[in-house]
């Protein structure tokens, strides 16, 4: 079996040792005589696995005891409306740094007033706004942000400090670097970038915030349902949670989030150095001080060259390099499981391609 | 590896050949050089697989062209509220035959008036109401039913004919027998009983019904979003859909739904014959004319004997026999993938256990 170099934006590359482990134990989960997809979510074997998943996540991220860790379905898109359904009472403020925060703001507007605390929309979301430009209105229930913007290739380098509850969509850089959980009242992440297969969202939610959940919501729209029932009010996506468990253990074996952050920085530097050293042949989309370590977005001199670049890359098993349809250009997504070898192969190809033109 | 006899109510037994296939191809999906959990949902490889899944489902169930087949997340519980959010405008009628229809009625009541068209609640949901007892009110938007009641072990033997759109939760007997799709405007099924891992709901929805979706819903709550975007408005649960694909192909190889129905009837007969021939030692919960072919529910003379029965069964690798916590007693769930051998082993054990008392 030949593995390609997978630069998909999500779903995306997973660690090979985890894939091999999942394959090896697929017919017999934890000596139950059943596959992980066959076990009951009310069984001791399931509960032990879910509890362990929460425990590893708590260790990796140093999540304090006054936060619940919950598992939900529906992807980030369901969170775009759920956070509003639960917490938008007066007005919700948005740090609008990309199409995902834009969608979240739109979905939440179903439940109340939304507004931009800051925005880089006028500049094609090419930078992360500075904290001193924030405009926070009175009676703001929360400020919502996206830590990493997959489409535009920007990322918050440090997190803002605000006086209202801060919500963060960490879908695309979850577990890629240490974060101070206590800076946030609510963190969520669809796991299909760094942590597992599409189909589960991890939520980290402060107990004091749960008290403010809107009363009378249908059960499945209320965060309290997931917190009060330990994520098993209904059948959770067992396989996805199990996969997250195995990836989280793999992360611990790699040295945790500080170690993976260093590795990710090294990988990103290979590509950004290539861009910066190309005499303008490759042009990064993101402002330098806002560059993402997860998604490297860039353009070539012409759309024709971009198409040729993507085609030749694909022919060399460098997969997923085409930019998001809303922005065009090129994008290399280099999440946790993308190896340094893969990034070096792409950088080599970029240098070579440039020389040939 | 020793496989146990898995009578779990869901998630539940999957066909061993499918588990082996999924395992074998887990590191390289369709010659992509990537695992199925690593491929992009915007890739040709994914689209081909999803299209094929829809095609096989259409063949198996003879789904006409004027129905969309869609994939959603959140399990049946999310459907309990979504059908109401989309279609409850005047009043919704419910055939209340178990705790799941009861929950659906409660969740939908968030969006409007709900009422019981018929109910067996007063008799512990032990039977399926007759069609001539239905009381349908004027201005009823739809009638909602559950084809098989996992907790109580009852099942609609034939489907009612009503003058308003009929919605059916087929989660627990989906693809276990032929159904006439045109009898319904909307069918949905969480797949984690007969068809795959927990994490995806298949929806079969008539195009004419889609025109009546409530306007202005948040995108992720609207069935139209899933129909208009071919289930890829956001990232779908790729692995679960892929698994459904493999199970659906396996079903075709078994001879389709008529063949699987015959096999399921034979399996159920092994257990019901054992109950009926036990001189009252085993007492079936369901009325005989309402018995489920999927979930066989029964009691022993005392709760103490039931506990002993479950413990001894477990010791012999007959797993998942304990009844639902809301009803007690015993339950054997014998979905498509549970073998005749497993049912025979349970029947043998039941006969032997009775003799020893």
């Amino acid at each position: 079996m030949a593995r390609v170099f997978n630069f998909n934006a999500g779903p995306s590359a997973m660690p090979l040792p985890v894939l091999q482990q999942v394959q090896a134990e697929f017919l017999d989960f934890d000596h139950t005589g059943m596959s992980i997809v066959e076990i009951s979510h009310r069984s001791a074997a399931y509960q032990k696995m879910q509890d362990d998943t929460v425990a590893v996540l708590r260790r990796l991220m140093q999540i304090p005891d006054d936060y619940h860790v919950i598992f939900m379905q529906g992807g980030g898109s369901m969170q775009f409306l759920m956070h509003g359904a639960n917490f938008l009472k007066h007005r919700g403020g948005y740090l609008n740094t990309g199409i995902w925060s834009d969608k979240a703001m739109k979905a939440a507007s179903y439940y109340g007033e939304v507004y931009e605390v800051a925005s880089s929309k006028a500049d094609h979301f090419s930078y992360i706004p500075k904290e001193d430009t924030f405009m926070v209105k009175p009676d703001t229930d929360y400020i919502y942000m996206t830590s990493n913007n997959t489409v535009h290739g920007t990322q918050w380098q440090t997190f803002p400090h605000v006086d209202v509850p801060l919500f963060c969509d960490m879908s695309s850089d979850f577990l890629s670097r240490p974060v101070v959980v206590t800076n946030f009242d609510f963190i969520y992440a669809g796991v299909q970038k760094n942590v597992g297969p599409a189909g589960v969202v991890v939520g980290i939610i402060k107990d004091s915030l749960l008290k403010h959940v809107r009363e009378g919501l249908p059960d499945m729209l209320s965060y309290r349902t997931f917190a009060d029932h330990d994520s098993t009010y209904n059948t959770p996506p067992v396989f996805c949670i199990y996969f997250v468990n195995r990836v989280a253990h793999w992360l611990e074996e790699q040295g945790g989030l500080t170690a993976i952050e260093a590795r990710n920085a090294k990988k990103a530097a290979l590509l950004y150095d290539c861009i910066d050293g190309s005499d303008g042949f490759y042009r990064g989309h993101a402002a330098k001080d806002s560059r993402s370590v997860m998604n490297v977005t860039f353009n070539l001199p012409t759309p024709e060259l971009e198409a040729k670049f993507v085609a030749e890359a694909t022919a060399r098993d460098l997969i997923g390099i085409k930019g998001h349809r809303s922005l065009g250009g090129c994008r290399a997504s280099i999440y946790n499981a993308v190896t340094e070898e893969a990034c070096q192969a792409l950088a080599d190809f970029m240098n070579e391609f440039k020389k040939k033109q």
Side-chain angles (χ1 to χ4, degrees), chain A residues 151-173:
Chain A
V151 173
H152 320 284
T154 64
Q155 186 174 24
W156 290 80
Q157 314 293 309
T158 59
F159 289 106
H161 292 84
V162 293
D163 294 331
V164 299
L166 185 59
F167 296 177
C168 189
D169 171 5
M170 290 193 188
S171 293
S172 55
D173 62 1

Side-chain angles (χ1 to χ4, degrees), chain A residues 109-126:
Chain A
S109 72
Y110 185 77
Y111 299 96
E113 182 194 331
V114 297
Y115 72 96
E116 289 180 337
V117 171
S119 173
S120 52
K121 195 172 186 174
D123 292 290
H124 308 289
F125 295 123
S126 61

Side-chain angles (χ1 to χ4, degrees), chain A residues 12 22-23 80 113 147 193-194 198 202 226 256 259 270 280 301 304:
Chain A
S12 41
V22 170
Q23 181 181 46
F80 295 168
E113 182 194 331
S147 56
K193 316 287 187 186
N194 281 302
V202 177
F226 292 86
L270 286 172
E304 290 71 28

Side-chain angles (χ1 to χ4, degrees), chain A residues 76-340:
Chain A
S77 296
M78 184 57 77
Q79 297 305 310
F80 295 168
L81 75 94
M82 269 182 75
H83 81 275
N86 280 262
F87 301 117
L88 182 44
K89 293 170 183 173
H90 302 96
R91 50 174 65 107
Y94 290 78
L95 294 167
N96 198 5
T97 56
I99 68 165
W100 305 120
S101 52
D102 213 47
K103 277 175 184 272
M105 188 163 60
K106 179 169 171 284
S109 72
Y110 185 77
Y111 299 96
E113 182 194 331
V114 297
Y115 72 96
E116 289 180 337
V117 171
S119 173
S120 52
K121 195 172 186 174
D123 292 290
H124 308 289
F125 295 123
S126 61
Y127 68 94
I128 297 294
K130 301 274 182 258
E131 205 162 332
D132 58 13
T133 67
F134 291 6
M135 300 277 279
V136 182
K137 294 186 182 179
D139 297 325
T140 293
D141 296 306
Y142 57 80
I143 292 177
Y144 177 104
M145 63 179 294
T146 312
S147 56
N148 179 72
N149 302 281
T150 49
V151 173
H152 320 284
T154 64
Q155 186 174 24
W156 290 80
Q157 314 293 309
T158 59
F159 289 106
H161 292 84
V162 293
D163 294 331
V164 299
L166 185 59
F167 296 177
C168 189
D169 171 5
M170 290 193 188
S171 293
S172 55
D173 62 1
F174 190 56
L175 299 184
S176 74
R177 57 176 171 170
V179 296
V180 178
V181 171
T182 52
N183 197 28
F184 306 91
D185 278 52
F186 177 43
I187 293 168
Y188 78 81
V191 303
Q192 71 271 14
K193 316 287 187 186
N194 281 302
V195 198
V200 68
V201 170
V202 177
I204 301 166
I205 191 162
K206 199 170 183 178
D207 295 349
S208 57
L209 180 69
L210 282 168
K211 296 196 180 95
H212 297 285
V213 164
R214 190 189 308 273
E215 297 295 334
L217 285 173
D219 290 340
M220 287 296 286
L221 290 186
S222 167
Y223 291 119
R224 211 181 277 158
T225 301
F226 292 86
D228 289 351
H229 294 85
D230 193 21
S231 303
T232 50
Y233 171 78
N234 72 335
T235 316
V238 175
F239 178 78
C240 294
I241 295 171
Y242 150 80
F243 201 105
V244 169
N245 179 288
R246 296 309 189 244
V247 173
H249 278 288
W250 174 81
L251 275 168
E252 278 199 321
E253 287 158 19
Q254 304 304 303
L257 302 190
T258 306
I260 206 80
E261 178 183 44
R263 187 194 298 183
N264 285 334
K266 199 171 166 194
K267 283 153 48 185
L270 286 172
L271 300 180
Y272 285 121
D273 286 352
C274 175
I275 289 169
D276 292 340
S278 74
D279 297 321
F281 183 78
Y282 298 111
R283 285 168 293 116
H285 175 74
K288 283 194 178 181
D289 66 358
S290 302
R291 281 176 166 174
S292 168
V293 173
M294 299 277 100
N295 311 94
V296 180
T297 52
F298 56 96
N299 286 84
L300 275 68
T302 67
E304 290 71 28
L305 272 175
E306 286 167 351
K308 193 178 171 199
F309 178 84
V310 169
E312 289 191 19
T314 304
R316 292 190 181 203
D317 284 345
L318 300 158
I319 303 296
I321 301 292
K322 196 175 171 185
H324 189 270
R325 62 196 186 285
S326 67
L327 191 70
C330 300
R331 170 176 58 176
S333 297
I334 51 173
Y335 302 117
N336 285 353
V338 176
T339 59
E340 191 178 327

Side-chain angles (χ1 to χ4, degrees), chain A residues 15-30:
Chain A
L16 184 58
V18 172
L19 292 170
Q20 288 167 330
Q21 180 185 14
V22 170
Q23 181 181 46
E25 64 195 22
F26 193 65
L27 293 187
D28 187 12
F29 172 71
D30 197 13

